[in-house]
Amino acid sequence: GATGSSIFYRTEQASRVAAANDTSTTGQTAVSKIIGTMWQSLSAVEKSRYDDMAQNSRKEYKKTLEGYQREFEEFKNANPEWQREYDRILLERTAAPSETMNGR
């Protein structure tokens, strides 16, 4: 999925923060807390770079998802037997429990 701006910041800062702090016993939780504090102290201007990265990530995600959906529709249209089988299985799985227990 799309990534939020603070995640881009965390990814960028994680190794530097881990190297500068003894996180051998506290691990990533301590790193995340430190970076969270750093993130909160950034100005809107400083955060805008990461906001742009997140916006680009969302656009790329949407574009990729639309491509997958288009390919899937093309596949379904080219394979009507697949769609019938899919519909049959879906109906079977959503049938009432008493129907499936009786083997229907």
Side-chain angles (χ1 to χ4, degrees):
T3 303
S5 52
S6 63
I7 300 300
F8 281 105
Y9 181 74
R10 189 204 185 286
T11 301
E12 187 178 273
Q13 299 296 323
S15 60
R16 185 178 355 198
V17 169
N21 296 275
D22 179 19
T23 58
S24 58
T25 57
T26 56
Q28 292 300 308
T29 302
V31 172
S32 292
K33 286 180 181 180
I34 294 166
I35 294 172
T37 301
M38 292 167 58
W39 173 255
Q40 294 301 321
S41 69
L42 293 180
S43 69
V45 172
E46 292 170 312
K47 287 182 180 180
S48 69
R49 174 173 161 241
Y50 302 98
D51 293 338
D52 291 344
M53 293 167 86
Q55 185 176 14
N56 290 336
S57 175
R58 283 189 290 276
K59 286 178 184 176
E60 188 62 33
Y61 173 78
K62 183 178 178 185
K63 181 179 172 184
T64 301
L65 180 61
E66 289 170 352
Y68 288 145
Q69 290 170 334
R70 186 174 46 259
E71 288 175 17
F72 184 57
E73 285 302 315
E74 290 170 2
F75 171 82
K76 289 192 310 183
N77 291 335
N79 299 281
E81 69 285 350
W82 179 89
Q83 184 66 53
R84 283 191 295 278
E85 181 66 8
Y86 175 81
D87 291 343
R88 183 192 67 74
I89 292 169
L90 187 60
L91 182 62
E92 186 177 281
R93 289 185 180 177
T94 58
S98 60
E99 291 178 21
T100 55
M101 293 179 109
N102 293 331
R104 291 189 226 161

